[in-house]
Amino acid sequence: MSRYNFKETEHKWQAAWAKGDCFAAKHDPARPKYYVLEMFPYPSGRIHMGHLRNYTMGDVVARYKRAQGFNVLHPMGWDAFGLPAENAAMEKGVHPKQWTYANIAAMRDQMKAMGLSLDWSREIATCDPEYYQHQQKLFLDFMKKDLVYRKESWVNWDPVDHTVLANEQVIDGKGWRSGAVVERRKLNQWFFRITAKSEELRSALAKLDRWPAKVRTMQENWIGKSEGMRIRFRLVGENTPLEIFTTRHDTIFGASFLALSPDHPLTESLAAKNSKLAAFVAECRQSGTAEAELETAEKKGFDTGLKAEHPFIKGHNLPVYVANFVLMDYGAGAIFGCPAHDQRDLDFARKYKLPVVPVVVPDDQDPKNFDVGAEAYTGPGHLANSDFLNGLSVDAAKEAIATKLEALKIGERVTTYRLRDWGVSRQRYWGCPIPVIHCDACGVQPVPTKDLPVRLPEDADFSVPGNPLERHPSWSKVNCPSCGKPARRDTDTCDTFVDSSWYFARFCSPTAAVPVTKEEADYWLPVDQYIGGVEHAILHLLYARFFTRAMTDCGHLNLDEPFAGLFTQGMVTHETYRAADGRWLEPSAIEKSSDGSAIEVATKTPITVGRVEKMSKSKKNTVDPTAIIDAYGADTGRWFMLSDSPPERDLEWTEGGIDGAWRFVQRLWRLADDTVQKLPAVNAAMPKNFSPPAQDVRSLVHRAVAAITDDIERFAFNKAVARLYELTNGIADAIKAIETNKDKWTSDDKWALREALEVLVRLVNPMMPHLAEELWHKLGHRDMLVNTPWPVADQSLLTRQTVTIAVQINGKLRATLNLPANLPQEETTRAALAEPAIARHLGETTPRKIIVIPNKVVNIVA
């Protein structure tokens, strides 16, 4: 029995594709383009199963679109700056550049072994000066457009990684990489003015109809548009009023306190005279600045002793606190607290024993009996305990109170956004240097374009934590480009999310002397299909959308949205295994029994089989894709990644699943190998007529073409795989049926089966390209399948020509009939009764009743 030799075959076809330059994308306005892009990887040194799944999906789309006649751009690069390289320098004594490029080389080889249809001639690495010099040019262009500025601000400080983090990089109060509890520091930082695009970024989400709804919702919530009021409260005994911002001005009669941010100017003024308040402020600054962190933190406050007059309740004064949950850079850095209708305010009020007065009551409840317990009421209703607002709906009350405040000239309607400007300064070495020079006489000066790139020094010292650029003896010492006097370079580098915010544009012209050639960008952009994890829904995707607009403002691009279509794939999961002593064990270190129990191979001791979880190094439930490729071949790994579950859901990796994929590979090989000698020559003339069995095969094949084409268009890869299993079974059954009648291979049978096998190979090609190429040549072709068009379904064959009818007697199957589809019931009945097996079973018995289910069943009740 012939077996498929994947090792030999995969190397052969990868070499042939490379030699033929099959995947190089060329600018060709005469052809429709299709740009497919997977989020590029960080070069850690090893690909993981998430890479295998992500890039397989992208490759299916790229190969499918290429077969459909599109001019496909499918590039690859490396998100190569970042802390892991610096940490490796400290731990292993290897330079970040050396570590990074060695990892790139290793991962490039691993990815090539996957058989991906990538245009490697466009490969970029963000740590290459040829890339980041253009990023520095963009930075300076943004400065000219006032989209970059520098200010002193409170920032999130990671005490382990010794760098600033954006709010989005603080997860549950901890650094997203180090896991260290984040602190607050006041530093001079560079910011991108992303808030200048707040409304544009928000409103444009409605047009991204090929993005997942959940991603658009996440971005809309992060941008956080709020229609509210600025209200000025008069402080008792003070001349300057306190301005607050609120979106719930309807609840003003339920106010029981005012609260200041620890960073509010009034707080700082009061703390200068009050050591206890100063200590409280210092305590607040031990946490980060991220709103999500403050939401979950214990609510703490300090009573300043100040009182504020309620604008509508004469003689009623509200205490003024400093509170740890109020952000300075949201609204006015001060709020009024209405505990009954805001959970943070309620938690705060309960802790400090402040009044809780419900002022919004559900429509079906009596205000006299309505009370708030441990949970604030935030639903709809009507106003109560609110003087002239009583009985109004929430929206009507907001309008009434806004009009009143504006008439009194103590408030104005305003629109605010939750989105904050993007702080991009990082106190690290392995990043893109910020291209500015600080001069005592001239201030901040841009590095002249002719002096770009500002390169990182090769001789950095990583022996101690902190920023090596700060410690370098000479790198920062330069002359001012304006006055020529001694000055210093900025020693901060860019947040690595800057690097990934425009790389998709650089792929359009990766060797150009400018950031992007407009002619190329106009042709290739936007990215037609972007693929990556949902964990990037806010950080990367929002920043990329801002960057695209900023590049357009500066004349580099002519579009606003970088990604027309977005697909977010699920994670790859696996069982977890734990030894009795608590050690996590790799799947290769355990042996399972048929009853589900397992032992550790090395010690022969029982282990605990845990939950199925995301593959992670910490729990060691990872499977090495390279080991799978070595053992089964790239096509088998690709097939399993596509077959087991919908691509947007998590995929559980199982050894049984990969074995099943391997068996199917061998089955396809044998199906073609056993049949090819009986088929007519390649491109043989199509018969004028086909027998019913041959017609059935053709109908089966063309229905599969139509369905699988639709499945791939909709990213329903698992459904496409299921249909390919069905098609393979149908072809195998047809061959078996023919071979049961010796010497009955007619010319139309042979032609129909060649068509069937060739179409099957073409449909399999995007998923298992090496096997498909080999089968294509085994079937007698000399051209490469990679250059062969996608099959097109014959519309006349999409309706079944014949159907298989089950004939039952008293509910038991006694025969099957192949009959024309949609045959009238009378003719179906006559054919069933005339069938010899049925006549034999009935004998002299006259049927009492005959039930016909069209195209499916004839049930004879005797």
Side-chain angles (χ1 to χ4, degrees), residues 259 347 415 666:
D347 294 343
T415 299
Q666 294 298 335

Side-chain angles (χ1 to χ4, degrees), residues 115 159 240 298 335 343 511 588 766 827:
T240 304
E298 180 188 357
I335 64 164
Q343 192 62 45
T511 61
S588 59
E827 294 184 39

Side-chain angles (χ1 to χ4, degrees), residues 469-503:
L469 297 179
E470 285 277 4
R471 301 190 301 269
H472 195 279
S474 61
W475 181 79
S476 65
K477 296 175 181 177
V478 291
N479 292 329
C480 174
S482 181
C483 69
K485 293 179 181 178
R488 62 195 180 281
R489 293 191 191 282
D490 198 308
T491 55
D492 285 348
T493 54
C494 286
D495 178 9
T496 53
F497 280 98
V498 178
D499 312 336
S500 58
S501 291
W502 71 285
Y503 78 107

Side-chain angles (χ1 to χ4, degrees), residues 516-537:
V516 60
T517 304
K518 286 188 74 173
E519 182 184 16
E520 296 282 350
D522 289 346
Y523 176 64
W524 290 114
L525 291 175
V527 175
D528 296 281
Q529 186 62 65
Y530 199 35
I531 304 170
V534 74
E535 66 270 19
H536 299 293

Side-chain angles (χ1 to χ4, degrees), residues 667 671 726-737 753:
R667 186 179 183 211
L671 187 66
E726 291 174 7
L727 177 58
T728 302
N729 290 337
I731 294 171
D733 289 345
I735 293 171
K736 186 177 179 181
L753 285 172

Side-chain angles (χ1 to χ4, degrees), residues 346-395:
L346 180 60
D347 294 343
F348 189 84
R350 295 297 190 205
K351 180 168 185 172
Y352 294 103
K353 297 180 172 52
L354 299 171
V356 178
V357 180
V359 291
V360 177
V361 178
D363 289 332
D364 61 351
Q365 296 208 28
D366 185 342
K368 294 178 182 178
N369 301 322
F370 183 71
D371 199 8
V372 170
E375 188 174 334
Y377 179 69
T378 57
H382 59 276
L383 273 289
N385 303 315
S386 297
D387 197 4
F388 61 91
L389 300 179
N390 285 343
L392 295 178
S393 68
V394 169
D395 287 342

Side-chain angles (χ1 to χ4, degrees), residues 391-691:
L392 295 178
S393 68
V394 169
D395 287 342
K398 283 185 176 182
E399 179 62 26
I401 202 71
T403 300
K404 189 79 168 179
L405 288 166
E406 288 180 334
L408 295 172
K409 299 189 182 305
I410 58 171
E412 299 85 32
R413 292 175 172 90
V414 291
T415 299
T416 65
Y417 296 87
R418 180 175 177 266
L419 182 65
R420 307 271 62 83
D421 279 338
W422 174 15
V424 297
S425 297
R426 299 293 180 268
Q427 294 66 42
R428 306 303 304 176
Y429 165 82
W430 195 235
C432 172
I434 291 176
V436 298
I437 293 169
H438 299 272
C439 174
D440 291 339
C442 305
V444 174
Q445 297 295 305
V447 172
T449 301
K450 66 180 179 60
D451 294 335
L452 299 179
V454 177
R455 294 174 180 265
L456 293 167
E458 297 280 345
D459 56 343
D461 175 17
F462 299 96
S463 60
V464 295
N467 184 359
L469 297 179
E470 285 277 4
R471 301 190 301 269
H472 195 279
S474 61
W475 181 79
S476 65
K477 296 175 181 177
V478 291
N479 292 329
C480 174
S482 181
C483 69
K485 293 179 181 178
R488 62 195 180 281
R489 293 191 191 282
D490 198 308
T491 55
D492 285 348
T493 54
C494 286
D495 178 9
T496 53
F497 280 98
V498 178
D499 312 336
S500 58
S501 291
W502 71 285
Y503 78 107
F504 49 86
R506 184 65 182 168
F507 275 137
C508 297
S509 48
T511 61
V514 292
V516 60
T517 304
K518 286 188 74 173
E519 182 184 16
E520 296 282 350
D522 289 346
Y523 176 64
W524 290 114
L525 291 175
V527 175
D528 296 281
Q529 186 62 65
Y530 199 35
I531 304 170
V534 74
E535 66 270 19
H536 299 293
I538 294 173
L539 284 170
H540 164 58
L541 293 171
L542 187 60
Y543 292 159
R545 296 179 64 220
F546 161 73
F547 234 81
T548 301
R549 286 167 168 78
M551 289 177 71
T552 295
D553 288 350
C554 296
H556 295 288
L557 297 176
N558 289 317
L559 79 160
D560 294 332
E561 292 296 338
F563 312 121
L566 173 69
F567 187 85
T568 55
Q569 86 281 0
M571 298 180 294
V572 184
T573 64
H574 198 290
E575 285 181 331
T576 51
Y577 309 112
R578 205 159 196 176
D581 59 7
R583 289 176 295 116
W584 293 105
L585 299 173
E586 296 178 354
S588 59
I590 68 103
E591 184 178 294
K592 293 187 74 174
S593 301
S594 58
D595 63 0
S597 63
I599 61 168
E600 183 180 4
V601 174
T603 64
K604 304 300 181 184
T605 56
I607 61 119
T608 300
V609 178
R611 294 185 308 173
V612 173
E613 297 188 33
K614 176 187 176 182
M615 286 188 180
S616 68
K617 292 179 181 178
S618 62
K619 294 188 177 176
K620 294 191 175 181
N621 63 332
T622 59
V623 176
D624 184 358
T626 303
I628 296 300
I629 291 171
D630 289 343
Y632 295 94
D635 283 342
T636 303
R638 291 167 60 117
W639 184 257
F640 177 75
M641 282 295 169
L642 298 166
S643 64
D644 196 62
S645 63
E648 68 274 13
R649 296 183 191 168
D650 292 350
L651 165 71
E652 182 183 354
W653 179 272
T654 65
E655 284 63 34
I658 192 67
D659 286 340
W662 169 243
R663 288 194 297 272
F664 182 68
V665 167
Q666 294 298 335
R667 186 179 183 211
L668 279 180
W669 174 258
R670 289 194 302 272
L671 187 66
D673 190 56
D674 294 346
T675 311
V676 65
Q677 299 301 324
K678 301 170 184 175
L679 302 180
V682 173
N683 298 324
M686 181 177 177
K688 292 182 179 179
N689 297 298
F690 289 94
S691 66

